[in-house]
Amino acid sequence: YLPYSGIYREVYLSQKPLTNIKSVKLFTEDINVAKPEDVLLYLQIETNNPVEGLNYKIEIFDQNKLIQTEDNPEFFDEKNGYVIEVNNIERWTLENPKLYLVKISMLINGEVVDAIQEKFGFRTVMFTNNGFLINNQKIKLMGLNRHQSYPYVGYAAPKSMQEMDADI
């Protein structure tokens, strides 16, 4: 096995203020099995250099339509972060890969100093003794072995070649 070294994919640089959003992790939990369209959305927000007066505004979009805003989201706990109840969602499926967008704005004394956006879908995914389940429906998995080294360019294939390979 020959591992190449160095940067071989797209690189992005961003300039951030000293106090900024370092990372965000999203996960969901069903509120009621009888109402699968109602879920709790947890947001673990990691902050660099937190200061006094720091707060978050969380906006959830369906396409370009704002469906929910939380100006001072309920802080759940240190591990789970913030929790928001979201109603009437559409679950992500293989047939309908429905995505939403969450925009998290960091405010210090009411002024936005940083923001981040993440696409996500509402779904449950599990491996069980009965197989792989998405939203409690069994899905047959098929796989392949993919190598990302190309003649004359090695691992430095552009995004278009990676997409073409995935399409194949």
Side-chain angles (χ1 to χ4, degrees), residues 17-34:
L18 185 61
T19 299
N20 61 67
I21 300 171
K22 182 178 181 181
S23 68
V24 174
K25 178 182 177 187
L26 304 169
F27 59 99
T28 63
E29 179 182 332
D30 293 347
I31 296 173
N32 181 344
V33 176

Side-chain angles (χ1 to χ4, degrees), residues 1-165:
Y1 177 71
L2 172 65
Y4 299 107
S5 62
I7 297 171
Y8 60 88
R9 290 287 185 272
E10 292 84 5
V11 174
Y12 302 94
L13 295 175
S14 61
Q15 185 175 355
K16 295 271 193 175
L18 185 61
T19 299
N20 61 67
I21 300 171
K22 182 178 181 181
S23 68
V24 174
K25 178 182 177 187
L26 304 169
F27 59 99
T28 63
E29 179 182 332
D30 293 347
I31 296 173
N32 181 344
V33 176
K35 290 190 74 182
E37 67 277 4
D38 295 346
V39 298
L40 293 176
L41 175 64
Y42 293 92
L43 298 101
Q44 290 178 327
I45 304 171
E46 190 175 351
T47 304
N48 283 323
N49 305 308
V51 295
E52 189 79 24
L54 180 116
N55 205 339
Y56 294 100
K57 177 180 181 180
I58 298 170
E59 299 169 294
I60 302 171
F61 295 86
D62 181 356
Q63 305 285 327
N64 293 325
K65 180 183 173 195
L66 178 66
I67 60 170
Q68 192 162 343
T69 300
E70 299 287 334
D71 281 317
N72 295 308
E74 178 186 341
F75 190 70
F76 190 73
D77 63 36
E78 290 296 327
K79 180 181 175 210
N80 294 322
Y82 299 88
V83 61
I84 298 170
E85 183 175 329
V86 185
N87 303 110
N88 301 315
I89 58 99
E90 196 175 324
R91 293 206 175 256
W92 184 100
T93 65
L94 294 176
E95 298 77 27
N96 180 28
K98 176 73 172 182
L99 291 178
Y100 292 83
L101 179 85
V102 63
K103 179 181 179 185
I104 302 160
S105 300
M106 173 189 278
L107 296 91
I108 298 177
N109 298 322
E111 182 183 332
V112 176
V113 294
D114 194 15
I116 190 169
Q117 295 183 25
E118 294 288 336
K119 288 183 181 179
F120 70 101
F122 290 100
R123 66 178 180 208
T124 57
V125 179
M126 291 185 280
F127 282 99
T128 69
N129 290 337
N130 296 328
F132 178 67
L133 306 176
I134 296 180
N135 300 328
N136 295 322
Q137 293 183 342
K138 188 173 180 177
I139 305 294
K140 182 177 179 179
L141 293 178
M142 298 185 330
L144 59 99
N145 186 0
R146 177 182 175 271
H147 296 276
Q148 64 177 11
S149 183
Y150 293 89
Y152 308 110
V153 296
Y155 282 0
K159 186 177 181 181
S160 60
M161 284 181 80
Q162 300 295 325
E163 289 172 347
M164 179 187 71
D165 208 22

